[in-house]
Amino acid sequence: MDGGNRSVVSEFILQGLSHSKNIQVLLFVIFLMLYLFIVSGNIVILTLITTDPHLHSPMYFLLANLSFVDMCLSSNITPKMITDFLRENKTISFAGCMSQVFFTHCIAGGEMILLVVMAYDRYVAICKPLHYFTIMNLKRCTGLVLTSWTIGFIHGISYLVVFVHLPFCGPKEIDSFFCDMPLIIKLACMDSHNLNTLMNAECGVVVVTCFSLLLISYTYILVTVSKSSKAGASKALSTCSAHITVVMIFFVPCIFIYVWPLSITWFDKFLAVFYSVITPLLNPTIYTLRNKEIKNAMKRFIGKFLGPKRNSQ
């Protein structure tokens, strides 16, 4: 691929979600509220896990990292989308577009590995409970999180290297609200079929491998749980069901966008909104509503600040 013509295109034009001004104003309000919920919800989880000694365990250490990753994933895309709702010219610079591509795939790739690590944590906790804290010690948990970020970084860099070598010489309208690789490849002045296939295959290896490992892990866990006592099985199922829900709402959109694309514009936009906005919003909600320890930590946190005020009154 010849990168000599790259300088011809210095910016891209984003088509966004709608061309109607009234609808864009409505979307601005909706997505601004959603983004504020995403940031505040994930910050609450990070704060609770950091400050409450009852939550200083491997599972919550990984959950805190998931909240941080979700916040980063949404912050890479959503603020630009929100401000564009109020703009006539929805442009993004070449460098800005390149940055979105890199961070989207870096963060999403890291989150996939992190979800596998969380499944491994639940497998050890349920199938090898006596050795749980020995196996999932702080050093190993930290190493696994760093591994997820490293793999995500490599995944993002692989997309970035392809991006900077694409020859752009004319078309620059992206029919979406952010820069994503499949849409960028379509704008390149070259036969993009083989490259698209290669990128789908590369992404498919990551997605399908992680998804398969998750299915195997949770299947093994459910089989083990079915043989245990009712009380233990109920608690394990409650925890695992939250994890499985998060896995499904994250992986299904990724599969239909990158691995098995349907090439239906409105559906692709819906899926992109889902994994960049809805998933980071649902994750803290799912873990908060279905987790008694998080709820109790919330009560202790509120009581710590409101208790002294009530006593003084």
Side-chain angles (χ1 to χ4, degrees):
M1 291 180 289
D2 178 18
N5 291 328
R6 192 193 75 191
S7 60
V8 174
V9 175
S10 60
E11 64 180 18
F12 297 96
I13 300 171
L14 301 172
Q15 295 293 314
L17 294 176
S18 173
H19 298 291
S20 168
K21 288 186 178 180
N22 291 333
I23 293 177
Q24 287 189 70
V25 171
L26 177 62
L27 291 175
F28 169 81
V29 175
I30 292 172
F31 282 103
L32 178 61
M33 294 299 294
L34 291 177
Y35 182 63
L36 291 175
F37 279 124
I38 289 168
V39 174
S40 58
N42 283 295
I43 286 177
V44 165
I45 288 181
L46 282 167
T47 304
L48 290 176
I49 293 173
T50 304
T51 59
D52 196 314
H54 296 86
L55 301 181
H56 291 174
S57 66
M59 184 180 82
Y60 293 107
F61 173 77
L62 297 174
L63 176 57
N65 278 276
L66 180 65
S67 290
F68 177 73
V69 169
D70 278 334
M71 201 159 47
C72 290
L73 180 62
S74 185
S75 296
N76 179 50
I77 297 170
T78 312
K80 169 67 176 168
M81 175 180 64
I82 291 171
T83 56
D84 278 348
F85 285 132
L86 302 180
R87 289 178 180 170
E88 192 70 32
N89 298 318
K90 300 172 176 58
T91 59
I92 184 169
S93 67
F94 188 91
C97 191
M98 186 168 59
S99 174
Q100 274 197 341
V101 168
F102 169 71
F103 283 109
T104 296
H105 290 278
C106 173
I107 298 167
E111 180 161 350
M112 289 180 193
I113 305 300
L114 184 59
L115 289 171
V116 174
V117 172
M118 293 177 75
Y120 174 69
D121 170 75
R122 290 301 83 205
Y123 161 76
V124 175
I126 294 169
C127 301
K128 299 182 180 181
L130 298 178
H131 304 285
Y132 177 60
F133 288 102
T134 303
I135 296 173
M136 296 302 294
N137 54 60
L138 180 61
K139 184 179 179 181
R140 178 162 294 177
C141 287
T142 304
L144 290 170
V145 170
L146 289 175
T147 300
S148 72
W149 276 106
T150 302
I151 293 173
F153 178 78
I154 294 170
H155 181 61
I157 282 290
S158 68
Y159 274 72
L160 186 63
V161 169
V162 173
F163 183 97
V164 297
H165 285 91
L166 287 175
F168 299 106
C169 56
K172 57 180 184 178
E173 292 190 352
I174 300 172
D175 195 4
S176 186
F177 56 91
F178 78 110
C179 290
D180 202 6
M181 204 60 190
L183 302 173
I184 296 295
I185 291 175
K186 290 180 181 179
L187 301 181
C189 301
M190 58 176 286
D191 183 3
S192 60
H193 177 73
N194 291 336
L195 180 59
N196 237 329
T197 303
L198 179 64
M199 299 308 290
N200 286 344
E202 191 270 345
C203 199
V205 169
V206 177
V207 175
V208 173
T209 301
C210 290
F211 195 59
S212 299
L213 288 172
L214 287 164
L215 288 177
I216 293 168
S217 298
Y218 286 118
T219 300
Y220 199 93
I221 289 170
L222 292 173
V223 170
T224 304
V225 163
S226 65
K227 300 176 183 178
S228 63
S229 64
K230 287 186 177 180
S234 177
K235 184 177 180 180
L237 282 173
S238 176
T239 304
C240 286
S241 62
H243 283 248
I244 292 169
T245 303
V246 168
V247 166
M248 294 304 294
I249 64 177
F250 181 78
F251 273 88
V252 171
C254 289
I255 289 171
F256 283 109
I257 292 174
Y258 301 110
V259 183
W260 189 23
L262 300 178
S263 298
I264 303 172
T265 303
W266 70 266
F267 188 61
D268 288 344
K269 288 182 181 182
F270 168 77
L271 292 176
V273 167
F274 199 90
Y275 88 78
S276 63
V277 180
I278 307 302
T279 299
L281 177 68
L282 288 178
N283 283 359
T285 306
I286 290 169
Y287 283 113
T288 303
L289 293 178
R290 298 184 66 88
N291 192 303
K292 289 183 179 179
E293 291 180 357
I294 290 283
K295 289 179 182 177
N296 292 334
M298 180 72 78
K299 292 176 184 177
R300 286 191 293 269
F301 185 80
I302 294 172
K304 185 187 295 185
F305 290 95
L306 293 184
K309 292 181 180 179
R310 288 174 179 172
N311 293 333
S312 64
Q313 290 174 356

